Structures are given as structure tokens and as C-alpha cells.
Amino acid sequence: MSTNTPRVSVLTPIYNTKPEYLREMIESILNQTYTDFEFLILNDSPDNKEIEKIVLDYAKNDKRIKYSKNDKNMGITPSRNKLLKMAKGEYLAIFDHDDISVPTRLEQEVAYLDTHPYIGVVSGWLEKFGDKRKNGEIWSQPEYDSEIRISLMHNCHVMHTASMLRKSVLTNNNIEYEEFYTPAEDYRLWARLMDVTHFYNIQNVLVKYRWFGNNTSKRMETQREEAAANIRMELCGKYPEYAKQVIRTKFVGTVFRLRLFGKIPLLKIKNNWILLFEFIPVCKLLWR
């Protein structure tokens, strides 16, 4: 392992992270099967001495950890951009402050990027934990670039906390996170990268995603949806062919049911067929 030029930079901003979550997150990276990385941890809650001490204690025993803190709270997007500028690695592994990476996450992503030079972003699936109602639930994602591009027309189908990017794709195209789109800055990043690179989702769980009531995505749902709506509108205007594919794919499987008085089956649309009483084919829809 080169101590001067690591292949991978793991980028993690922290903000008033619960100590037990912070320890689990850090240990999941230090215990990776792939070892040629630097672990950049940026504290955006500089007055929180408890989490600073936790990180520094780990850093004493593992020099791959590079700890820094903002002079004052900057917010998530400026902190992410600061980490991008600090990173020395060829590949950038994005990782949130309270999640857990599976032991082979970095190994799988590096191996894929090494053997697929035209891919600039690789990610994978998430497994929820931390809430009894959600434990074990898998967020699966489309695999190939064309499928991902179509899916990006209506939602963020590249899991940010599980992603790894080629740094050169960002620097060569002057792309970084945009604060205007916070807290959907990741979705906006993928939207911009669609012009300059290709995507792939590894078809297994790479990160265990902590699901609890204080998730940023849940606390800032209104802002996130407003930002995402702007991104979707721009993407659909920019890539109309992908947008058409979204409409087509929505008509695969059962997409509509009509029942008299809410109980008696009357019409159903399934796999492009209109079915009377939900089982008699009447006609087939043609989409162009």
C-alpha cells in the first residue's frame, strides 16, 4: 500500500453523530478487505468535542484516518465539496456518517472500476436496519447504464452512500456538488454526470443503511422533493427519449384497476392489455 498516493479516498462528513453510530461507521471502513485507502473524516460540528475525541482515538492507531474540522458549521454540500478537494485517491468512496459498509464493499467497487474504464460511477444496493419495521428491507437498484439513466428520470437510483466515483471525471469536467439542490445534492450530481460518464450498480448489498426517525432525508422531505422535482423536470427536457421509456416501463405489470362501488372488478390494465372484469382481454395499448 502506498502511503502517499492511496488508490481510494473514503469521504465522510460528520455532524453531531451519535458516538455508537460513529464507532460502527469507522470500524466498518477500517475492517475492509481492500486496504489501500485514506479515510477523510470532516467534522461539521466543530464544537462537539466528544465525536472529535472518538475520531482522534481511532486515528492514533490507524494512520489512514485523516481528521479535520470546519471552523464553523458549513452544511452538508460545502463539506462534501471540501472533502472532494482534499482527496488524493484515484477513486472516491462516498460514505455517510451513520451507515455501515459491508467488509468487501471497497474491494468490489475498485475491482469493477479497474476492469470497466468507461464507467465513472459504481454503486450498489442498501439494506435498511435500525428500525424493527424496516430491518432487512433491501433497496435494490437497476444494474446497467441504460436502465439507470431511465430510472434517473423519475428518482435517484444510484445510492450515494454506497457509491464510488472516478475523481478524474469530476475534475476534468469541473463538476462538484451544488448547494442550491440540497438535500438532493447527490441526485443533482448524478444528473450532471449523465453527460460525461456511465453508471453501474453492483447487484448486491454494499452498505447497511441506518433507518431511524432523524434521517436527513426524512427531516427535510419537503425541501428534498422540491429539489428533486426541479432535477426531474430538467432531465426529462434534456433527455426526452429516456423520459419516454419511463412512461413505457410504467405500463409493465398492473398499473390501473377500476372497481364498481370500490368492490366489483371492472377494468384492469396489465402488461399493456386492457382487461374487462380483470381477466377478459379487450385491446392492447400501443406506445410510440
Side-chain angles (χ1 to χ4, degrees), residues 113 116-122 145 149 165-166 168-170 173 175 189-190 192-200 239 242:
L113 290 176
H116 298 81
Y118 57 91
I119 298 292
V121 180
V122 62
D145 183 70
R149 287 169 178 267
L165 302 78
R166 294 184 190 275
S168 60
V169 173
L170 297 179
N173 295 284
I175 292 175
L189 183 69
W190 308 144
R192 292 194 65 191
L193 287 172
M194 285 178 68
D195 278 342
V196 297
T197 195
H198 298 277
F199 301 82
Y200 181 77
Y239 303 103
Y242 292 141

Side-chain angles (χ1 to χ4, degrees), residues 65-81:
I65 294 178
K66 312 297 182 185
Y67 173 76
S68 60
K69 63 180 178 180
N70 295 327
D71 294 332
K72 61 180 181 179
N73 175 251
M74 295 173 59
I76 186 62
T77 298
S79 294
R80 291 196 191 282
N81 285 330

Side-chain angles (χ1 to χ4, degrees), residues 242-258:
Y242 292 141
K244 289 178 183 178
Q245 290 298 324
V246 173
I247 295 174
R248 291 190 184 102
T249 55
K250 284 184 177 180
F251 280 86
V252 175
T254 300
V255 297
F256 175 79
R257 278 190 173 93
L258 176 62

